[in-house]
Amino acid sequence: AQAMRTDGYIPVPVSLRGRVDADANVRFGNGRTIVDRHFSTGTVFASANLFNESRQNGTVLQRNHTRLIEGTLGADVALAGGTLNLRTYMSGQHFDQTFSSISLDRNTEALVRVQAVPSQQFGFSAVWNRQLGHRNTFAVGTDLRRVTGHSDEVLWARNAPTGTVDAGGRQLYLGTFVEDMLRIGSRLH
């Protein structure tokens, strides 16, 4: 686990500062937990990661915030004279941010955009490999990854919402492979 907080500083020189200027500061924390179990035929494990960060970006209205949660399950098991490595993972992230317009004298600030960006991913992989003699390693595997993301933005003008921007997408990756590695000498594979 880890955490940090700082009051920060005002990034604008004193001679140019106005009422909108504020400390650029940060607060964040993260933590990771791993649990594993060893058996005579292999190992299984689970891990979880959490991350949270909030920042004020030097003015009263400009801020952003990120949250991330990740989880992984895995196993390494002896199978058919080789080793089977299985992994599955998922994560979710949410990012929020505000944008503003600042007057030349830096005494007034107006919100121009509020953005929220959630995203998720899920994946799986399986790889089996086996030594075939002293000089040959054979492997076969597959993996799948699905990612979704979205950006929801509210546009502002004259201190009122004026419109929205809505965008997003999905990606799906699937791959398989077969590999045979032959060691011909100590420096050539």
Side-chain angles (χ1 to χ4, degrees):
Q2 180 180 356
M4 184 185 93
R5 178 179 181 156
T6 176
D7 292 335
Y9 64 97
I10 298 176
V12 176
V14 174
S15 61
L16 300 176
R17 288 181 192 164
R19 288 192 304 262
V20 303
D21 293 303
D23 290 328
N25 57 38
V26 66
R27 291 181 299 138
F28 88 90
N30 64 8
R32 181 176 182 164
T33 301
I34 300 174
V35 177
D36 63 3
R37 173 90 163 123
H38 300 274
F39 297 96
S40 60
T41 58
T43 302
V44 295
F45 72 91
S47 70
N49 299 307
L50 303 171
F51 175 80
N52 191 44
E53 178 186 67
S54 295
R55 286 185 284 168
Q56 186 167 339
N57 295 327
T59 73
V60 174
L61 295 178
Q62 293 179 15
R63 302 170 184 262
N64 56 36
H65 184 89
T66 304
R67 290 176 302 281
L68 172 66
I69 299 172
E70 297 177 314
T72 304
L73 298 172
D76 300 318
V77 181
L79 179 69
T83 303
L84 177 63
N85 306 107
L86 299 170
R87 302 289 185 270
T88 186
Y89 61 90
M90 65 179 78
S91 69
Q93 178 176 326
H94 201 281
F95 176 71
D96 298 303
Q97 182 166 285
T98 58
F99 300 88
S100 69
S101 175
I102 300 168
S103 65
L104 288 176
D105 64 3
R106 302 193 66 80
N107 285 322
T108 59
E109 178 180 29
L111 200 59
V112 295
R113 187 174 295 235
V114 177
Q115 180 184 46
V117 184
S119 62
Q120 301 82 34
Q121 72 173 339
F122 168 80
F124 171 81
S125 70
V127 177
W128 179 77
N129 61 65
R130 179 179 178 178
Q131 281 293 126
L132 302 173
H134 295 300
R135 297 178 177 263
N136 196 15
T137 303
F138 177 78
V140 61
T142 186
D143 61 350
L144 170 78
R145 180 177 175 205
R146 183 175 189 268
V147 180
T148 61
H150 185 76
S151 179
D152 181 22
E153 301 180 33
V154 178
L155 307 176
W156 286 70
R158 296 183 183 94
N159 297 320
T162 60
T164 60
V165 176
D166 188 11
R170 293 183 299 270
Q171 295 177 332
L172 180 63
Y173 302 96
L174 174 64
T176 59
F177 72 91
V178 175
E179 176 182 85
D180 190 30
M181 186 173 74
L182 179 63
R183 188 176 54 137
I184 296 172
S186 63
R187 297 174 59 182
L188 182 61
H189 291 211

